[in-house]
Amino acid sequence: MSGSLATSRFATSSFAHSVFVAAGSPASTTTTAPPGCSVASAGNKVTGLCTVANSLHISVAYRSIAPMIILAVGALVLLAVSAVLPKRPRTGLYPALTAAIGGLALLAAVLQWFDGAAKTGTVEIGGQVLYDRFSVLLLILISIAVILSSLAADSYLRREGLDGVEAYVLMLMSATGAMLMAESGGLIMLFLGLEIMSIALYVMAAYHRRRAQSGEAGLKYFILGSFSSAVFLYGIALVYGATGSTQFSQIAAYLAGNVPANAGVLLGGMALLIVGLGFKVAAVPFHFWTPDVYQGSPTPFTGYMAAVAKAAGFAGLLRVLTQALGTQQANWRPIVWLLAVLSLVVGSVMAIAQRDLKRMLAYSSISQAGYVLLGVQAATAEGSSAALFYLFTYTFIVIGTFAVVDIVQGRGETRNDLGAMRGLGRRNPLLAAAMLVLLLAQAGVPLTSGFLAKFYVIQAAVEQGQYYLAVIAMVAAAIAAFFYLRVGLLMYQAPVERDAEYGSGFAEGLGDDGVIIGSGGGASSAVEGVSVAGLEPVPSIDGAVATATLQAPPTGRVVVPATSGVVIAVSVVFTIAAGVSSFVIDFARAAHSLL
């Protein structure tokens, strides 16, 4: 280096004073350090730490990222434990450890809720982390999803011969990425969180290595997810080009005081950001991956994916639209309005035509995303709190629902059809009652959390004068009630004995799980049974195998594993409690404000 003065790493453009180091001299520190910096001469070096705003040295507020640290470190601990222990089956160890790690993250998030800095909202770690109650509520939601999903996955993985540490490590890492999305202070951090979460979810979708559908689901999710990430990244580049920053606060400040010279670039970037996040929340028309991925993925992972990916995606969408692009409401609200209408209509109508339980629930999740978009579209504090309330309650509902589906489908997921629910009311009355409550909640029946969730998002739309949108939402709810109640009716139909009802020829053509393996006849009474539930098979559409599967009653008593029973019980209790009291909506209203 020449003998000229070189600015040290403590100096920034915002400082009134700078610290200089004269290269080649044994000791040369000059001038006064800025307030908040402590520097001293030590030979030919400048030592010390500068923690003021905009300085290169950034203080890390560990309390703001404690749940993320717990989950990430917990994943490493699980890997270390699995590497050290002898290679033999350890039933229940990894789900118990994962639930414990999720519990520690939940405890840390609850403590954050009462932290004064979170109440007022602060920007931490160089402006990259937004520490407020909005993010804390999402951290609590994601921690709960980890606990419930790890317990629900235990019996499934052991039944399918897939028990091991890998699934739980992936779950913890995807949750870490989801938490980062909720706390992101800028588009770059949001993208990093999105990728951390997505890569783990791609592997989880393809986790069942012996099912071709699972591998296909993982491949489809990976290809389409990578494409959506590229679109999102292109949107970041355009927004940066139009505003000169990727930080939410700086984007908002620039747009509040300036008219962008390249308005088209900003609008293009905004549209691409909505497309990228719209894929993650499964909003129409970016939903095409959802039915196939939900159907092929391991069932407990499907419930986890529906809860966590949707919550993280909407957290990012709310941050971007409400916080960074709040001054551009006139431009993005019509787009969100259209996405909400399409999601409500397509999700509700297409779910009616499904014969597969998981595909039906996939279209149901698309419809549910439409309701959350109602709250986003309102662009008000009430809309944000209603969206948060919807996401929080939907987490319990969807994880509990897929836990029930996991129990009734059997080994190898051989019975995912709607006919698998026939007679569940007699085979296991408690399980059928739990499923009925969860279905009614998704339909929006009063005295369930689903009713209040739909009420609050529709109310937010009405307060903004969006009467047509509110009417469409209510009509979509009426349509959706059909396929939810159809499953409920099937559960309480009397199971039919094969020999008496199907005839000997048809019985010989059925395997133990009710799937056709040959040809036969005499299924008239079975067809009558499914017709009552609106399930009359259409051979030209469903095919012979699907027709026989819908007609075939499942046999045998349904046994509920202990861990799955806990998950279902917690989901049902919360769904009822949140539907008859105001504690959850008060919780969401306290967290609606964005920095």
Side-chain angles (χ1 to χ4, degrees), residues 21-116:
V21 178
S25 61
S28 55
T29 58
T30 62
T31 73
T32 305
C37 294
S38 175
V39 296
S41 173
N44 61 351
K45 299 179 181 179
V46 176
T47 61
L49 183 64
C50 188
T51 59
V52 295
N54 298 322
S55 61
L56 186 60
H57 286 280
I58 300 171
S59 61
V60 179
Y62 290 102
R63 73 186 187 283
S64 65
I65 57 174
M68 275 190 284
I69 294 175
I70 291 172
L71 293 185
V73 173
L76 297 178
V77 169
L78 282 183
L79 286 175
V81 169
S82 66
V84 171
L85 292 178
K87 300 299 181 183
R88 64 172 182 264
R90 305 216 174 248
T91 303
L93 174 62
Y94 298 125
L97 290 176
T98 305
I101 293 168
L104 289 176
L106 176 60
L107 176 61
V110 170
L111 293 177
Q112 286 180 332
W113 181 263
F114 298 101
D115 187 5

Side-chain angles (χ1 to χ4, degrees), residues 375-415:
V376 176
Q377 191 273 341
T380 60
E382 291 76 13
S384 297
S385 62
L388 289 174
F389 176 79
Y390 207 111
L391 291 170
F392 201 90
T393 58
Y394 182 68
T395 297
F396 288 87
I397 294 172
V398 72
I399 292 178
T401 301
F402 277 102
V404 177
V405 174
D406 171 38
I407 293 171
V408 301
Q409 66 187 357
R411 184 180 179 87
E413 300 191 28
T414 55
R415 291 303 304 266

Side-chain angles (χ1 to χ4, degrees), residues 191-399:
F191 177 73
L192 290 176
L194 180 68
E195 287 303 289
I196 293 171
M197 178 188 72
S198 298
I199 291 172
L201 290 179
Y202 300 153
V203 182
M204 291 174 70
Y207 193 77
H208 201 316
R209 54 185 177 272
R210 289 186 294 275
R211 290 186 68 236
Q213 281 185 318
S214 182
E216 181 183 348
L219 183 61
K220 287 181 178 179
Y221 198 14
F222 170 70
I223 293 174
L224 294 177
S226 300
F227 179 76
S228 71
S229 295
V231 170
F232 183 78
L233 195 58
Y234 193 19
I236 293 176
L238 292 181
V239 170
Y240 176 78
T243 63
S245 178
T246 59
Q247 294 299 107
F248 296 150
S249 59
Q250 295 178 15
I251 293 172
Y254 176 83
L255 294 177
N258 302 275
V259 177
N262 299 314
V265 174
L266 177 63
L267 292 177
M270 180 174 60
L272 293 179
L273 293 179
I274 294 175
V275 170
L277 293 173
F279 175 89
K280 294 303 175 185
V281 303
V284 177
F286 318 114
H287 69 290
F288 292 102
W289 62 275
T290 312
D292 291 336
V293 173
Y294 276 40
Q295 182 183 23
S297 300
T299 303
F301 295 166
T302 306
Y304 173 81
M305 185 188 308
V308 172
K310 199 175 294 292
F314 273 112
L317 196 62
L318 283 167
R319 289 286 193 196
V320 170
L321 297 182
T322 307
Q323 184 173 347
L325 301 173
T327 59
Q328 305 297 308
Q329 289 185 16
N331 294 320
W332 59 256
R333 285 185 68 190
I335 300 175
V336 177
W337 191 97
L338 181 61
L339 294 181
V341 171
L342 292 175
S343 300
L344 289 168
V345 174
V346 172
S348 298
V349 173
M350 291 301 296
I352 295 177
Q354 305 308 310
R355 296 293 187 266
D356 185 280
L357 267 172
K358 292 169 72 175
R359 290 185 71 89
M360 186 200 79
L361 292 173
Y363 281 105
S364 169
S365 74
I366 294 170
S367 177
Q368 306 296 342
Y371 287 102
V372 182
L373 286 171
L374 263 66
V376 176
Q377 191 273 341
T380 60
E382 291 76 13
S384 297
S385 62
L388 289 174
F389 176 79
Y390 207 111
L391 291 170
F392 201 90
T393 58
Y394 182 68
T395 297
F396 288 87
I397 294 172
V398 72
I399 292 178

Side-chain angles (χ1 to χ4, degrees), residues 444-483:
V445 173
L447 302 182
T448 66
S449 60
F451 170 76
L452 291 181
K454 286 181 171 59
F455 174 81
Y456 289 130
V457 293
I458 292 174
Q459 181 185 50
V462 170
E463 289 177 351
Q464 293 301 301
Q466 301 292 337
Y467 301 112
Y468 291 115
L469 184 59
V471 170
I472 293 172
M474 288 185 283
V475 172
I479 295 173
F482 169 77
F483 58 82

